Amino acid sequence: SSSVDLKKLRGILWSGCPSHLRPICWKISLGYIPPTFQRHHETLRRKRAEYHSFSAEYFESNRVMNADELDILDQIQIDIPRTDSLRNLLHDERIKMAIERVLFIRAIRNPATSYVQGMTDLVTPFFSVFSSEIQSGKSLTGANDETLFDNVEADCYWCLCKVLDTVQDHFTCSQPGIQRVCHRVNELVSRLDRALFEHLAREGVGIFHFAFRWATCLLLREFSGIASSRAMDTYISEGDNLSDFVAYLCTALLLRWAEQLKAKKFHDVISFLQQPPSVSWKTTEVEVVLAEAFQLRSLLS
C-alpha cells in the first residue's frame, strides 16, 4: 500500500516494533512525516531545512544570547554529562553538541516549557534509534557523512517536540501534569496495596519522593539501552494518553516491588527506588510491566 493505516500502526507499535522499522514507524506515528509514502521525501527535506535554519540562527550567526538563554544553555551543558543513558553516545563531541542544540532550540522556541531537567533522558532514545537507521546498528562515531548526521539531529528535534507536546503540562509552570500523575499513583497504590501504602507512609516516604522524577523522565531513566526504546514504542502509540499511562506504569512498578519495599526502612526504600532493578531489565521484562500497566488501566480507568 502507498499509505499507512495509522490506527493499525499504533496498535502494532504499542506491542513493540522491530528495531529496523523503529525509525520510520516512530516518525509516522508521531506525525513528523505523513502516512503517505510518496510525501516522505519532500516532508523530510522541508522539515530538516527548517530545523537547520533554526540551528544557523542560534549557533552560527552573530546573534548574542541574552542572560536567560545563557542560563538555559549552561544548565543543558551541566545535565548532559550527568545523564546515564547518554554515556554511550557522548564519546563523540559532535553528538554532545547536537544534543545541546536540539534541547536549546526546543527551549527557546517553546518558552512556556523552556528546558527542564529530565529532558535529556527523553532525547536519548531518538538519537539511539535514528542513528541506527543510517549506521546499520553501528555507533554514530563512525559516521563520516555530515549530511546524514545533520539529518539525524533534525529528526530528533522534531520527534522530541512531538512527544513533549503530548505531555506539555509536565513542564509548564508548577508542572500540573506531573502533580496529576503523582496524585494518581498515590490514589492507585492506596487502593491496590494498602499495606504498601501504609508502610511507605510510616517510613515517611511520600509518592512525590520518586514519582515526580519518574514522571518527569517518563521512567526512561529507570530503563536502559534497548529497553528504553521499547518503552518509547508504547509511549508514542499512547499519544495524548501518555501522561495517564505513565501513572499506571509507575503503579505497576511499585506493585511489582511491593514485598521488597515493605521490608525496607526509609533510606533503603529511597536508595532502592533511585536505582531500581529495572535499570538492568531486558526488553521482555519491560514488556511484562507495560502489559501490567495496561491491565490496571483497563480495570480502573
Side-chain angles (χ1 to χ4, degrees):
S1 175
S2 61
S3 184
V4 174
D5 183 318
L6 287 175
K7 185 175 181 180
K8 287 183 179 178
L9 174 62
R10 288 177 182 137
I12 293 169
L13 196 59
W14 204 103
S15 299
C17 186
S19 58
H20 67 286
L21 294 177
R22 270 201 181 105
I24 190 168
C25 288
W26 285 10
K27 291 171 191 175
I28 294 173
S29 258
L30 285 167
Y32 172 45
I33 56 177
T36 306
F37 290 113
Q38 289 88 338
R39 295 173 55 199
H40 286 186
H41 178 76
E42 174 55 27
T43 301
L44 286 170
R45 185 202 63 76
R46 177 172 51 82
K47 297 300 287 184
R48 288 165 175 170
E50 186 178 0
Y51 172 77
H52 296 319
S53 72
F54 298 157
S55 182
E57 175 185 354
Y58 294 116
F59 289 95
E60 298 171 23
S61 67
N62 294 323
R63 178 179 176 279
V64 177
M65 292 185 188
N66 61 39
D68 288 340
E69 292 171 343
L70 288 171
D71 286 344
I72 291 168
L73 185 59
D74 182 58
Q75 189 61 57
I76 290 170
Q77 290 172 338
I78 290 170
D79 290 345
I80 287 175
R82 294 176 175 174
T83 306
D84 288 342
S85 57
L86 284 173
R87 285 180 181 170
N88 291 335
L89 296 173
L90 294 182
H91 41 262
D92 188 329
E93 182 66 18
R94 57 187 185 159
I95 297 175
K96 176 176 173 291
M97 296 301 296
I99 294 169
E100 284 182 15
R101 287 190 294 269
V102 164
L103 293 170
F104 179 80
I105 293 169
R106 205 277 169 185
I108 298 305
R109 298 192 63 80
N110 294 269
T113 54
S114 189
Y115 170 76
V116 175
Q117 288 178 286
M119 288 183 179
T120 49
D121 293 278
L122 306 187
V123 77
T124 307
F126 292 110
F127 268 92
S128 297
V129 167
F130 294 163
S131 68
S132 70
E133 186 178 29
I134 61 171
Q135 290 297 315
S136 300
K138 297 178 182 178
S139 167
L140 262 176
T141 307
N144 54 20
D145 188 327
E146 291 300 324
T147 300
L148 293 177
F149 184 89
D150 290 346
N151 289 345
V152 167
E153 181 180 337
D155 294 349
C156 287
Y157 170 79
W158 289 114
C159 289
L160 175 67
C161 288
K162 293 286 188 180
V163 169
L164 290 177
D165 286 348
T166 67
V167 289
Q168 182 168 321
D169 64 356
H170 281 216
F171 304 105
T172 51
C173 182
S174 78
Q175 298 177 281
I178 291 179
Q179 303 278 348
R180 186 175 61 251
V181 169
C182 292
H183 284 301
R184 184 60 173 149
V185 174
N186 194 66
E187 175 190 341
L188 288 167
V189 173
S190 172
R191 178 178 175 182
L192 296 169
D193 193 329
R194 192 69 190 178
L196 173 61
F197 180 81
E198 291 177 351
H199 175 74
L200 294 177
R202 280 196 303 272
E203 292 302 320
V205 180
I207 294 296
F208 278 79
H209 275 106
F210 51 89
F212 193 93
R213 188 190 79 169
W214 286 5
T216 302
C217 304
L218 301 181
L219 285 159
L220 294 174
R221 194 174 292 181
E222 276 53 59
F223 306 132
S224 61
I226 194 66
S228 293
S229 298
R230 172 60 192 90
M232 188 62 81
D233 288 341
T234 296
Y235 293 171
I236 290 171
S237 177
E238 283 289 330
D240 291 338
N241 297 317
L242 175 55
S243 184
D244 179 64
F245 181 75
V246 166
Y248 286 96
L249 184 56
C250 291
T251 303
L253 287 169
L254 287 171
L255 296 181
R256 172 173 280 255
W257 299 323
E259 296 310 312
Q260 292 165 273
L261 292 170
K262 289 174 193 175
K264 297 180 183 297
K265 297 295 185 181
F266 175 85
H267 292 294
D268 291 330
V269 170
I270 295 298
S271 296
F272 181 93
L273 294 173
Q274 285 178 339
Q275 192 71 16
S278 55
V279 297
S280 60
W281 279 1
K282 294 182 170 54
T283 299
T284 51
E285 293 167 294
V286 172
E287 288 178 336
V288 170
V289 80
L290 290 170
E292 290 170 349
F294 177 83
Q295 290 173 341
L296 287 176
R297 183 173 62 178
S298 299
L299 291 169
L300 301 171
S301 62

